[in-house]
Amino acid sequence: MNVVIVGYGMAGSRLAAELHARDGDLKVVVLGAEPHRAYNRIMLSTLLAGKVAEPDVELAEVAGQGVDVRTGVQVTAIDRDARVVHTDDGDRIPYDHLVLATGSRAIVPPLPGLDPADLPERVVPFRTLDDCRRILAAAEGARSALVLGGGLLGLEAARGLAARGLDVGVVHPVPYLMERQLDPTGAAVLASTLAGLGVTTHLAVAATGVAADADGVRLDLADGRSLAADLLVISCGVRPDTALAAAAGLDVDRGVVVDDQLRTGDPRISAIGDCAQHDGTLTGLVAPAWAQARVLAQALTGEDPAARYRPRPVVTRLKAAGIDLAAMGDPADGPGEELTFADPARGTYARLRIHEERLTAAILLGDNPSVGTVVQLFDRGAPVPADRRALLLGRALGGTASAPAESPALMPDAATVCQCNDVRKGALVACWRAGARTVDEVVATTRAATGCGGCRDAVAGIVDWLSEADSVGATR
């Protein structure tokens, strides 16, 4: 069977790897519009901060018999009757099954002075590796930058530029930052933390125009102010790239509409990742995209023809140096008991919502030793401990460390360590028992910590615990 994957981003590359790993009787062609090999988009903010180099964000190349990866190739049309895709180099590639993994594109707001097709040199969206390169080039010799958009990616970009020594301002039209993940109190603590890291926030004010020339950028605001900087980064959200699907007559709402098996209305065409809309929901995150790739690979190879995609609770982590933030569930008020603690001077805020003894939402900002336990309780839907304060503050009433599952020895094998790849503690232990003896070996085998990287410390802790246990056993 010929499988053609349109898109060589994090979803498309993962699907190719999943298909190859299952060694089915498939010929896989992957078509990527970007000229690069697949890369970890989540790590771009770390690249922007100068903490890693470009080779560090590259994903493992899918290679081997039956996999043909072509980069720098744009698919221009889908002929569903002939079952072929047309490319910009004039090629016609046949398929038995087509997978759309076209991702999403950065939204450029319709402001005077901004033409999405011809942006000024000092105005750059933050979405792709090429965008990151342009930002870094513009930041050379710059002393100040503005970021339009105070969501997750905007703040990561702002922190990355501040880490390079730039004076950074964030302009956000909503009264508080990250309104999809945070509440006003938590966002205020975050804004204070950012201020201490060199990032100023301008909230509840919309941009009305942009002027840019060789000397810099001016951003005009609705309150009559104008802000000047050497560089403007646009981070106003993304929009699923559905043009190809729509032109082919597939059902498109906000994204390409798919069922539980990731199929579109055409049974020979599937969609995964940012461009796919499942059960009325867009994902926009790596963990659901990789879960979708796994389910589709199981179905296409025949490993599990009945495989179904079931969304899991989403945990959002802000990946910026000097900021520890985990948010899960809907921050809006809901049923159940609410527990909160705020210490703005220390940059700490915690809020938990518990309904019927289950954690339904949480915000943890700042250093909180119980964050791993809270994530596990939310992810598994497990009953919360009686000592609520231990979860909120990271310590029990008597002042000792909290820890329903902070120690690897107490963590159940079913506990999810890596949210992005759905890697559980039991898989890490099994990998160790199979011969892996370093963090890098465990990571390479299980894929844990290869998504956002936020769980690497937890993986290292489990490896250290296994090493110590193995050492103790050897001396007996």
Side-chain angles (χ1 to χ4, degrees):
M1 182 169 69
N2 294 324
V3 177
V4 174
I5 303 171
V6 181
Y8 193 41
M10 296 188 75
S13 63
R14 174 54 64 94
L15 175 60
E18 294 277 1
L19 292 171
H20 181 61
R22 283 165 175 76
D23 199 27
D25 186 18
L26 304 176
K27 178 182 178 182
V28 181
V29 177
V30 189
L31 305 173
E34 293 184 75
H36 333 285
R37 60 184 292 175
Y39 57 90
N40 188 335
R41 199 182 304 277
I42 300 173
M43 297 294 291
L44 291 183
S45 57
T46 311
L47 178 63
L48 201 61
K51 303 298 183 183
V52 297
E54 279 195 17
D56 299 317
V57 305
E58 292 178 347
L59 295 172
E61 190 80 14
V62 181
Q65 185 175 2
V67 179
D68 179 11
V69 177
R70 308 180 194 178
T71 58
V73 177
Q74 180 78 46
V75 174
T76 57
I78 302 169
D79 186 336
R80 291 168 56 190
D81 292 330
R83 295 207 297 275
V84 298
V85 296
H86 296 261
T87 65
D88 58 354
D89 57 7
D91 204 358
R92 298 172 75 254
I93 303 173
Y95 68 84
D96 295 306
H97 199 93
L98 176 67
V99 182
L100 300 178
T102 49
S104 55
R105 297 179 181 272
I107 295 173
V108 177
L111 295 175
L114 283 188
D115 179 359
D118 187 23
L119 290 175
E121 183 178 348
R122 292 178 178 271
V123 179
V124 190
F126 182 44
R127 179 62 182 166
T128 68
L129 178 57
D130 282 337
D131 292 338
C132 196
R133 288 172 173 172
R134 288 183 59 201
I135 293 171
L136 289 173
E140 283 290 331
R143 292 190 292 180
S144 61
L146 292 170
V147 177
L148 185 56
L152 182 67
L153 288 179
L155 297 185
E156 290 182 354
R159 179 64 187 108
L161 290 170
R164 288 182 173 270
L166 276 69
D167 180 17
V168 182
V170 174
V171 176
H172 195 49
V174 181
Y176 60 98
L177 300 169
M178 290 183 64
E179 68 277 4
R180 293 186 179 182
Q181 295 87 16
L182 300 182
D183 57 20
T185 304
V189 175
L190 176 59
S192 177
T193 300
L194 286 167
L197 296 171
V199 179
T200 303
T201 52
H202 306 272
L203 304 174
V205 59
T208 58
V210 175
D213 56 28
D215 295 325
V217 180
R218 187 189 77 238
L219 184 65
D220 298 327
L221 305 182
D223 60 8
R225 289 181 297 153
S226 292
L227 304 176
D230 299 315
L231 165 69
L232 173 63
V233 175
I234 298 176
S235 183
C236 297
V238 297
R239 182 175 292 117
D241 191 346
T242 60
L244 199 60
L250 298 173
D251 187 9
V252 172
D253 185 18
R254 292 179 299 151
V256 183
V257 178
V258 297
D259 62 14
D260 288 351
Q261 287 195 298
L262 293 317
R263 297 173 302 192
T264 67
D266 184 333
R268 292 185 178 272
I269 302 178
S270 300
I272 61 173
D274 286 7
C275 72
Q277 178 178 323
H278 172 264
D279 198 22
T281 301
L282 300 171
T283 63
L285 297 171
V286 64
W290 284 354
Q292 290 172 355
R294 183 171 58 252
V295 168
L296 187 54
Q298 290 171 335
L300 291 179
T301 60
E303 177 184 88
D304 183 4
R308 298 288 189 274
Y309 170 63
R310 294 287 182 261
R312 296 185 58 184
V314 173
V315 178
T316 300
R317 304 295 290 263
L318 179 59
K319 293 162 287 298
I323 304 174
D324 295 314
L325 171 63
M328 57 213 83
D330 188 347
D333 293 335
E337 58 182 300
E338 294 268 359
L339 297 89
T340 61
F341 171 79
D343 185 355
R346 295 179 179 270
T348 300
Y349 176 72
R351 175 186 172 190
L352 308 176
R353 186 187 309 131
I354 299 169
H355 181 55
E356 296 180 347
E357 296 303 303
R358 269 35 178 202
L359 189 66
T360 59
I363 299 169
L364 296 175
L365 174 60
D367 185 17
N368 191 319
S370 67
V371 63
T373 300
V374 171
V375 170
Q376 292 296 330
L377 290 172
F378 177 76
D379 182 66
R380 297 166 56 208
V384 299
D387 185 2
R388 311 290 208 248
R389 185 176 172 182
L391 290 179
L392 192 67
L393 304 180
R395 61 178 182 272
L397 289 172
T400 58
S402 96
E406 291 297 330
S407 166
L410 299 176
M411 185 185 297
D413 282 350
T416 304
V417 178
C418 175
Q419 297 282 330
C420 295
N421 286 292
D422 191 23
V423 180
R424 301 170 189 253
K425 177 205 168 185
L428 300 176
V429 173
C431 179
W432 173 272
R433 290 174 177 164
R437 285 296 180 269
T438 67
V439 173
D440 287 342
E441 289 174 351
V442 170
V443 165
T445 302
T446 65
R447 290 178 174 162
T450 59
C452 71
C455 66
R456 189 174 179 89
D457 286 347
V459 174
I462 291 173
V463 170
D464 289 344
W465 164 68
L466 289 166
S467 298
E468 292 174 5
D470 194 44
S471 174
V472 170
T475 61
R476 290 180 177 172

